[in-house]
Amino acid sequence: MSATAIPYDGFAEYWARGDWSKYVTELHPSKSDQQTLAILEQPAGDFPDPGFEEFHLQLILNGNFNADVAFGDQRFSNALMPGSIVLAPPNTDTDYRLSKHHRFASLAINKKALERFCAQSDTEAPSDFGVLHSQSFFDPVIETLMIQMLEYASGEHPVSDLFVDTATNAVLASLFCKSLHITENQKSFPLEHNDLQRVAALVEDRLEEGITIADLASVTSLSDWHFARSFKAAMGSSPHQYVLKRRIVRAKELLSYSDLPLAEVAAASGFSSQSHMSDVFRQKVGTTPGKYRKNTTA
């Protein structure tokens, strides 16, 4: 299925009024008109997007599924999981065939933001980011920035707008570096996408339990030691930090969308106690679980 000409100027209008607006749960156009952030709940199926003058990053937040992706004449198939990033090129109709329901964050970066970045960094703007369009990839820096951008985007303070604009520059810088080094780095990744998908599924299924390196390595063909090294090379973080990050994501969802007491949120997210969850939240999120719930449900 191919995208057809649609009378919208960009993703901000398209997500607000286009065919897929019914899947949008959050939409944050920037006041500087340089980027648009959104969160979408997308079911399985075929989804064509029109080719706007924007780079379009999609970060998988929840769900493990298979995706057949076509950017113009270029196609790839990948198993996607939380943390996977897909980068669609500008001015190119895209087609996505998705096997399961999932939740993802989107960041559309327009031509104005790219030109500003290139002027500030004295860098020539690329026609695209080459190899980054040929597969999904992981980048913990971009993942963290996008999540923080979403948290700040709903704020009314001018500093919130400044953070989002500055973070967009950091995302572009990371993409530039990634496009230069991803081919060389991938040669050292013995873990296939199917291995990573099995690991991610095991983590989500057993998040409330204790999960060891041996448990994670058991769904691959690697020893515990080789698995730990290969996982960090592929994901940009250790298995322990990945599991911890997924516990934080689970806790945030329960705090925002349930009335469970904090102790039950901690147990359901795999923390050893409510105090353990509070300690991790202060360190990683910068606030307590109670304050996070108050701020997100106000």
Side-chain angles (χ1 to χ4, degrees):
M1 187 185 301
S2 298
T4 56
I6 297 179
Y8 303 124
D9 289 336
F11 279 104
E13 289 187 11
Y14 184 56
W15 285 328
R17 300 187 288 108
D19 293 342
W20 316 136
S21 60
K22 58 188 173 182
Y23 305 127
V24 178
T25 61
E26 291 186 27
L27 180 59
H28 304 287
S30 70
K31 294 182 177 65
S32 63
D33 191 32
Q34 297 188 72
Q35 67 279 319
T36 300
L37 287 156
I39 293 181
L40 294 88
E41 294 273 358
Q42 199 162 32
D46 294 344
F47 298 92
D49 278 345
F52 297 122
E53 285 190 347
E54 296 167 293
F55 290 98
H56 180 204
L57 287 93
Q58 300 157 74
L59 167 66
I60 308 304
L61 299 174
N62 292 102
N64 292 270
F65 60 100
N66 295 316
D68 294 318
V69 182
F71 301 138
D73 295 331
Q74 182 169 307
R75 295 180 176 274
F76 70 86
S77 296
N78 269 169
L80 302 184
M81 63 209 73
S84 296
I85 297 173
V86 175
L87 176 63
N91 303 308
T92 306
D93 286 0
T94 59
D95 294 291
Y96 305 91
R97 179 167 294 176
L98 312 169
S99 66
K100 292 182 180 179
H101 173 273
H102 62 285
R103 181 169 175 260
F104 69 100
S106 278
L107 170 62
I109 303 176
N110 68 21
K111 189 176 181 180
K112 184 187 297 185
L114 181 61
E115 290 173 347
R116 181 195 64 178
F117 171 83
C118 292
Q120 292 176 344
S121 61
D122 194 23
T123 304
E124 184 177 350
S127 57
D128 58 36
F129 285 101
V131 69
L132 294 181
H133 301 310
S134 66
Q135 62 214 322
S136 64
F137 59 93
F138 298 97
D139 190 306
V141 172
I142 293 177
E143 180 179 4
T144 299
L145 285 168
M146 286 183 64
I147 291 172
Q148 289 182 326
M149 289 168 75
L150 283 163
E151 291 184 1
Y152 282 107
S154 57
E156 295 297 327
H157 196 282
V159 172
S160 299
D161 301 329
L162 177 62
F163 177 87
V164 173
D165 288 344
T166 303
T168 299
N169 260 9
V171 168
L172 286 169
S174 189
L175 288 174
F176 269 72
C177 294
K178 195 80 172 176
S179 66
L180 294 174
H181 300 296
I182 190 170
T183 302
E184 179 181 348
N185 290 343
Q186 281 191 327
K187 293 177 182 178
S188 64
F189 293 175
L191 282 175
E192 300 290 338
H193 264 279
N194 287 340
D195 290 324
L196 292 170
Q197 186 182 39
R198 286 191 290 269
V199 170
L202 186 148
V203 170
E204 298 303 314
D205 290 343
R206 296 179 51 184
L207 198 57
E208 70 278 10
E209 307 172 17
I211 304 174
T212 67
I213 294 290
D215 294 330
L216 300 178
S218 68
V219 298
T220 75
S221 60
L222 301 178
S223 67
D224 298 0
W225 185 82
H226 281 100
F227 167 78
R229 288 175 58 86
S230 300
F231 185 91
K232 185 171 184 179
M235 299 291 284
S237 63
S238 68
H240 171 74
Q241 288 299 319
Y242 174 80
V243 172
L244 186 61
K245 180 171 67 177
R246 297 310 303 165
R247 295 195 199 285
I248 293 171
V249 170
R250 173 77 61 83
K252 283 183 173 181
E253 291 179 344
L254 293 174
L255 290 167
S256 300
Y257 303 111
S258 81
D259 296 323
L260 289 175
L262 295 183
E264 293 185 25
V265 170
S269 304
F271 293 102
S272 58
S273 65
Q274 181 178 331
S275 62
H276 180 213
M277 180 175 71
S278 296
D279 290 342
V280 171
F281 251 67
R282 287 192 189 94
Q283 180 184 6
K284 301 293 186 181
V285 184
T287 188
T288 65
K291 289 180 180 178
Y292 181 85
R293 169 173 274 174
K294 182 178 180 180
N295 290 336
T296 56
T297 58

